[in-house]
Amino acid sequence: MGQAMANRILSAGHDLAVFSRTKKKAAGLMARGARWAGSPGETTVGAEFVCSMVGYPSDVEEVCLGPRGALRRMPPGTVYIDFTTSSPALAMEIFETAKKRGVAALDAPVSGGDVGAREGKLSIMVGGARAAFERAMPLFKCLGKTIVFQGGKGSGQHAKMVNQIMIAGTMMGMCEGLLYAKRAKLNPETVMASIGAGAAGSWSLANLYPRIIRRDFGPGFYVEHFLKDLRIALREARRMKLDLPALKLAEKLYARLKTTGGARRGTQALIKELERRPRRKDT
């Protein structure tokens, strides 16, 4: 998703410096005019905005706060935007650290998958200072269709946790419904035609159900990254003394899918975990 988002920024006419731990992944961007930076810190040279889109909170911590991190070299007045789905607590830490340096930090996780990233139709959930949010709006508009300020530091990450919790429940229901349709000898495509426009309609149904029917488990969003998000949500729920049983079940199912070789599959591969579960015996 980060590469697709960077392409959108280039297409909008902005100058762009890029860093990736694997340089060849940035080859296409450099061919389009992006400048290679030798470290996260080097991306900040002459930059008004510095953005990160990585995998895990530990990666965010490294590229932002680490010895070669961006925040160590960002001059006062710069805006740092983290698009990664990460820990709300880390977002708050980055906000406070950046503030001491005169830098504005926004936590701005996104939803919409690979298609949304390519087409500039992401939903962007933003936490931080409103003034920084307004300043970054032209950049956000390059990337997203739905851009909402959620509140203070960490609020964007909390909003994304809400998104992931709801997706987890939707994915389980969608996969179980498809298994039921097949067992009832229904045509999954005609079922889709009936339910897609009704109360069961959702982004997952419109975009991932067809992939499951085609047995296309390629990643729009990796299972291992979704599992990371679910575990962040569970930690936050425990901290807030919330019991979320559907979230707990989703985490268990995706954890099993990861251990059986599904880590780099798309989230729709959950169907494979449900298919391998033993049939219920009549009692």
Side-chain angles (χ1 to χ4, degrees), residues 85 98 129 170:
T85 300
T170 300

Side-chain angles (χ1 to χ4, degrees), residues 47-232:
E48 181 180 0
F49 297 97
V50 178
C51 307
S52 56
M53 181 59 159
V54 290
Y56 294 87
S58 58
D59 299 322
V60 175
E61 192 167 10
E62 179 183 347
V63 301
C64 179
L65 303 175
R68 303 171 69 214
L71 195 53
R72 289 180 177 269
R73 295 185 60 175
M74 290 173 65
T78 313
V79 177
Y80 172 68
I81 307 171
D82 181 34
F83 290 110
T84 313
T85 300
S86 182
S87 159
L90 179 57
M92 294 177 190
E93 179 186 351
I94 290 172
F95 179 94
E96 293 298 340
T97 304
K99 186 177 179 180
K100 292 174 183 176
R101 295 183 59 87
V103 171
L106 298 171
D107 50 287
V110 301
S111 180
D114 55 339
V115 175
R118 288 195 303 270
E119 297 181 354
K121 296 180 179 178
L122 293 170
S123 175
I124 308 175
M125 305 153 231
V126 188
R130 180 174 282 278
F133 168 75
E134 297 293 347
R135 184 177 161 194
M137 184 58 76
L139 182 60
F140 289 142
K141 286 182 176 179
C142 296
L143 305 170
K145 185 176 180 181
T146 303
I147 304 155
V148 181
F149 181 69
Q150 296 292 339
K153 58 188 179 184
S155 296
Q157 296 296 350
H158 279 303
K160 183 61 185 289
M161 290 303 107
V162 174
N163 184 82
Q164 302 305 71
I165 291 166
M166 291 187 177
I167 286 176
T170 300
M171 287 294 295
M172 288 191 294
M174 183 178 72
C175 290
E176 288 190 348
L178 180 55
L179 288 177
Y180 182 98
K182 288 183 174 179
R183 190 63 57 84
K185 301 187 182 340
L186 297 174
N187 182 327
E189 293 182 359
T190 61
V191 170
M192 172 64 178
S194 290
I195 68 176
S202 68
W203 186 95
S204 295
L205 188 66
N207 290 275
L208 298 181
Y209 184 97
R211 293 191 190 186
I212 295 174
I213 293 174
R214 298 193 305 267
R215 306 302 287 180
D216 173 7
F217 301 120
F221 189 59
Y222 289 127
V223 163
E224 63 182 354
H225 288 166
F226 191 52
L227 182 59
K228 172 262 298 183
D229 297 349
L230 298 184
R231 288 172 172 169
I232 292 172

Side-chain angles (χ1 to χ4, degrees), residues 212-273:
I212 295 174
I213 293 174
R214 298 193 305 267
R215 306 302 287 180
D216 173 7
F217 301 120
F221 189 59
Y222 289 127
V223 163
E224 63 182 354
H225 288 166
F226 191 52
L227 182 59
K228 172 262 298 183
D229 297 349
L230 298 184
R231 288 172 172 169
I232 292 172
L234 279 170
R235 286 196 298 271
E236 290 297 315
R238 284 193 292 268
R239 184 184 63 79
M240 294 184 282
K241 297 182 171 30
L242 280 175
D243 182 31
L244 303 178
L247 176 60
K248 291 178 182 177
L249 176 57
E251 188 275 336
K252 289 180 182 177
L253 291 172
Y254 274 104
R256 282 201 287 265
L257 179 58
K258 180 181 177 181
T259 61
T260 54
R264 304 293 280 183
R265 300 278 196 174
T267 53
Q268 71 274 18
L270 179 65
I271 191 77
K272 295 172 71 67
E273 175 58 34

